[in-house]
């Protein structure tokens, strides 16, 4: 059989999938937005006003991610297994800026909110791998100018990355699964409605939410499973691979 004879799958992931690896979520009671204000660290205005403060915020998170104790968990591993074993197309769209999907083995992956281990030059547009600290005086490795490097992340008010490719995949998928996201941030929060509206490649796209608790958009999904990602994701992947989603 051909790849196209199997329903295409799109998986959306959010901070909840990396929580059991030791990374913080944003909107849980102990999450990042309970400690810092969005307006201070996650908008272009914040970066223009206080670049050192914004660099400090991302330097600390970059150091945490590369310290060695943060590793992919069973949920990341299950999605990599799904990509390896599913005979049809599969795309993971992550809102996360960590690299845990890659480290678990996912390859067909889009980081719609950017990547913590990359920096971008505001002058020449160069994208470079970056594991250390970043500061205002650092020179771009490509054009050599100082002061224009920024974290390669998408802040509020900026356009998320790869949107054309994401919508093209959403419109022809047969299964859409949302994992570990609170459904507060658009456009990702609108993907489930977009899939239902487009109908999927068969006209019967199935949608599922896997999360610790119902998200803002829970009522849009055909199916919901609640529990820690390390439990519900491997279980659901097993279900997909045995041909039984939605049952
Ligand atoms: C577990 C678990 C476990 C815990 N197991 N689960 C008014 C209406 C509509 C839209 C707007 C509006 N005003 C402004 C907007 C647009 C704005 C927006 O959505 N604002 C809302 C807040 C209202 N969006 C934007 O500005 C975006 N750009 C944009 O819209 O451009 C225009 C455009 C138009 C049309 C098409 C396309 C584009 C940009 C958004 C950028 C978001 N950036 C951040 C920071 C990135 C870098 C960084 O990491 O620092 O991205 S904010 C933050 O939120 C981060 C995340 O990716 C994102 C989503 O968070 P996520 O992943 O859902 O985390 P949480 O914490 O919210 O949820 C975790 C979930 O896991 C919870 O449900 C837990 O229960 C669960 N969980 N432990 C399973 N063990």
């Amino acid at each position: 059989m051909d790849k196209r004879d199997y329903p295409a799958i799109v998986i959306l992931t959010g901070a909840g999938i990396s929580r059991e690896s030791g990374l913080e979520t944003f909107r849980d009671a102990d999450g990042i937005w309970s400690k810092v204000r969005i307006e201070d660290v996650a908008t272009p205005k914040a970066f223009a006003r206080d670049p050192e403060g914004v660099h400090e915020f991302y330097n600390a998170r970059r150091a945490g991610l590369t310290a060695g104790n943060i590793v992919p968990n069973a949920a990341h591993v299950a999605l990599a297994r799904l990509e390896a074993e599913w005979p049809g197309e599969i795309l993971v769209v992550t809102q996360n800026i960590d690299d845990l999907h890659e480290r678990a083995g996912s390859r067909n992956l889009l980081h719609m909110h950017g990547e913590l281990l990359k920096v971008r030059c505001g002058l020449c547009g160069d994208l470079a791998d970056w594991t250390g600290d970043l500061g205002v005086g650092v020179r771009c490795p490509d054009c050599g100018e100082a002061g224009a490097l920024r974290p390669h992340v998408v802040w509020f008010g900026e356009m998320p990355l790869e949107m054309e490719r994401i919508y093209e995949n959403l419109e022809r998928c047969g299964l859409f699964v949302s994992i570990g996201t609170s459904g507060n941030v658009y456009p990702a929060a609108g993907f489930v409605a977009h899939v239902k509206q487009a109908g999927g490649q068969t006209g019967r796209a199935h949608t599922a939410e896997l999360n610790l608790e119902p998200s803002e958009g829970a009522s849009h999904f055909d199916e919901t499973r609640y529990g820690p990602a390390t439990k519900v994701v491997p279980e659901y992947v097993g279900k997909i691979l045995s041909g039984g989603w939605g049952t």
Side-chain angles (χ1 to χ4, degrees):
M1 281 203 354
D2 190 76
K3 229 175 168 31
R4 283 166 300 187
D5 293 327
Y6 295 87
I9 300 176
V10 178
I11 313 269
L12 171 69
T13 66
I17 197 169
S18 297
R19 182 67 194 95
E20 291 162 86
S21 291
L23 294 178
E24 294 173 300
T25 59
F26 293 91
R27 294 169 187 81
D28 289 313
D30 59 349
I32 293 175
W33 300 150
S34 71
K35 296 166 195 155
V36 290
R37 291 178 351 129
I38 288 175
E39 305 77 39
D40 291 338
V41 295
T43 68
K45 263 192 191 166
F47 188 56
R49 193 176 55 239
D50 179 18
E52 282 299 2
V54 173
H55 282 314
E56 208 175 289
F57 172 67
Y58 285 99
N59 286 344
R61 290 174 64 196
R62 201 179 293 114
L65 183 59
T66 54
N69 55 337
I70 303 291
V71 292
N73 64 48
H76 299 102
V77 171
L79 294 184
R81 175 186 168 216
L82 181 62
E83 182 175 326
E85 297 183 19
W86 178 248
E89 273 184 73
I90 173 159
L91 174 68
V92 175
V93 177
T94 187
Q95 297 170 86
N96 299 342
I97 61 174
D98 66 58
D99 63 344
L100 297 182
H101 283 302
E102 291 91 325
R103 283 201 249 159
S106 286
R107 292 293 168 261
N108 207 8
L109 169 73
L110 297 177
H111 281 275
M112 66 178 287
H113 289 164
E115 295 173 68
L116 184 56
L117 302 183
K118 289 197 169 124
V119 296
R120 192 166 80 232
C121 177
L123 289 176
C124 74
D126 183 54
L127 204 58
D129 293 336
W130 207 269
T131 50
D133 281 354
L134 189 58
V136 286
V138 178
R139 289 186 183 280
C140 168
D142 193 43
C143 70
E145 290 294 329
L149 288 179
R150 57 163 282 180
H152 180 52
V153 300
V154 177
W155 290 316
F156 283 102
E158 296 185 316
M159 185 63 87
L161 309 173
E162 305 275 9
M163 291 313 298
E164 206 172 310
R165 203 170 144 204
I166 293 172
Y167 281 119
E168 189 260 311
N169 277 268
L170 291 172
E171 282 159 22
R172 61 187 174 78
C173 75
L175 174 65
F176 172 73
V177 187
S178 172
I179 302 171
T181 176
S182 63
N184 274 283
V185 176
Y186 287 84
F191 287 174
V192 60
H194 192 88
V195 168
K196 293 314 268 185
Q197 204 174 18
Q201 67 183 11
T202 61
R204 294 187 305 277
H206 184 75
T207 58
E209 165 166 283
L210 315 182
N211 204 31
L212 202 53
E213 59 191 16
S215 73
E216 289 291 318
S219 62
H220 290 288
F221 291 89
D222 298 317
E223 184 185 5
T224 53
R225 305 277 163 117
Y226 297 117
T230 53
K231 179 171 184 291
V232 294
V233 177
E235 282 173 4
Y236 201 74
V237 164
K239 229 173 154 42
I240 295 172
L241 290 173
S242 62
W245 73 61
T247 55

